[in-house]
Amino acid sequence: PFDLLEHLREYLGAMSNEVTATRGTVDKYIGDAIMAFWGAPVPDTQHALHACMAALRCQAVLADLQQKWKKQDRPLFAARFGLNTGEVVVGNIGSETRMNYTVIGDVVNLASRLEGANKYFGTSVLASEATMTLTGAKFSWREIDVVRVIDPAEALRVYEPLAGAGEEDRVHRWW
């Protein structure tokens, strides 16, 4: 168990460093998952850009860690990201006895569903059209599909950010 805890600490630390380096707030750890958000508590007009940057940077750092762990014969962690942009409720949310500075709302729920949808599409990062629209020219994007989620009931396009604009030669994916 202690080896696993040290391994998890290394992974969560590396991913959290990329979140905070891009002006993100680490909300909480849920097992080996990290919930994070941008734009609060300090407003950030480029929150969508920074979130996409963090996801791509995390993938690059994770690839390096996986090579290291493979040589050490340690388990390989994988990471999936769901990115969505919109209005949320942010603040100290909870009960009289326990609170957490967090975000809630449909936008957060959709981001969580996008994270899970990566498994279905074989992707690592899925972003909503709202996120892609705000950051479009800053990244190379691949349109993945039109999906329907429970809330909102309408279908929406989802995209995969491949690389920062001008960094496309770093993408090693073949379809």
Side-chain angles (χ1 to χ4, degrees):
F2 293 108
D3 289 341
L4 177 59
L5 286 175
E6 180 60 28
H7 190 44
L8 188 58
R9 185 202 59 75
E10 182 179 20
Y11 166 74
L12 293 173
M15 299 298 104
S16 296
N17 286 344
E18 298 307 319
V19 169
T20 57
T22 57
R23 302 178 63 181
T25 298
V26 173
D27 183 326
K28 62 182 68 94
Y29 301 116
I30 308 164
D32 65 352
I34 300 172
M35 180 174 163
F37 54 88
W38 286 256
V42 178
D44 179 5
T45 59
Q46 295 187 309
H47 51 84
L49 170 72
H50 292 138
C52 289
M53 286 172 55
L56 292 175
R57 288 171 60 160
C58 282
Q59 288 298 313
V61 167
L62 182 58
D64 291 342
L65 284 172
Q66 287 173 331
Q67 287 180 357
K68 173 184 165 186
W69 294 333
K70 193 176 277 189
K71 290 176 186 172
Q72 297 172 339
D73 199 31
R74 295 173 82 187
L76 304 180
F77 288 115
R80 295 184 306 264
F81 301 82
L83 304 174
N84 192 22
T85 305
E87 291 188 24
V88 298
V89 174
V90 62
N92 290 315
I93 298 168
S95 70
E96 291 180 15
T97 58
R98 183 167 173 94
M99 296 200 145
N100 183 35
Y101 185 77
T102 191
V103 292
I104 60 171
D106 288 342
V107 170
V108 178
N109 293 340
L110 178 57
S112 176
R113 291 175 192 272
L114 292 175
E115 183 273 330
N118 280 296
K119 241 183 197 178
Y120 175 79
F121 291 112
T123 54
S124 298
V125 184
L126 281 179
S128 67
E129 190 166 13
T131 300
M132 189 280 300
T133 299
L134 282 176
T135 62
K138 303 282 187 187
F139 296 94
S140 292
W141 293 93
R142 176 171 77 120
E143 184 175 344
I144 298 299
D145 207 345
V146 177
V147 298
R148 191 175 294 276
V149 294
I150 296 171
D151 285 322
E154 69 270 4
L156 62 117
R157 295 185 187 285
V158 293
Y159 299 83
E160 179 185 27
L162 301 174
E167 298 177 351
E168 293 83 2
D169 59 331
R170 296 163 87 191
V171 178
H172 302 290
R173 178 177 277 182
W174 302 98
W175 294 282

